[in-house]
Amino acid sequence: MAKVAEVNLITAKIKDIEAKNGVLQSKRNAIQALQKSRPEIVHFIDAIARVTPDGVFLTKIKQNNWLYVNPSG
């Protein structure tokens, strides 16, 4: 009887570890996706800086969707 309880406890711990591992894997995937897209954002901001005339200051950049960006300032 004690062995069954011990096996049940170990099984519960394994399930808990697997659940935590799933959460960590999800976080890892999110971080990797953000790191992968980082150069795109840097290139975008660099392009805005190159095409914005001297003396013009943008105070806000709003992205409506993946295709349109509304600068203001």
Side-chain angles (χ1 to χ4, degrees), residues 4 12-13 19 34 45 48 51 55-60 66 70 72:
V4 172
K13 287 182 180 181
L34 289 171
I45 298 296
I48 288 176
V51 299
V56 174
F57 298 94
L58 297 177
T59 58
K60 182 178 179 181
W66 290 105
N70 295 329
S72 62

Side-chain angles (χ1 to χ4, degrees), residues 16-29:
D16 184 50
I17 290 170
E18 287 175 344
K20 289 178 181 178
N21 189 31
V23 170
L24 290 174
Q25 185 64 37
S26 296
K27 289 180 181 181
R28 184 181 309 135
N29 292 341

Side-chain angles (χ1 to χ4, degrees), residues 5-72:
E6 185 177 336
V7 169
N8 288 341
L9 181 62
I10 291 172
T11 303
K13 287 182 180 181
I14 290 172
K15 287 181 181 180
D16 184 50
I17 290 170
E18 287 175 344
K20 289 178 181 178
N21 189 31
V23 170
L24 290 174
Q25 185 64 37
S26 296
K27 289 180 181 181
R28 184 181 309 135
N29 292 341
I31 290 169
Q32 288 174 344
L34 289 171
Q35 287 177 340
K36 183 178 179 183
S37 68
R38 184 184 303 167
E40 297 168 3
I41 295 168
V42 171
H43 292 300
F44 173 74
I45 298 296
D46 184 55
I48 288 176
R50 280 189 267 120
V51 299
T52 303
D54 289 340
V56 174
F57 298 94
L58 297 177
T59 58
K60 182 178 179 181
I61 298 174
K62 181 179 179 183
Q63 184 174 6
N64 292 338
N65 57 36
W66 290 105
L67 298 175
Y68 300 103
V69 175
N70 295 329
S72 62

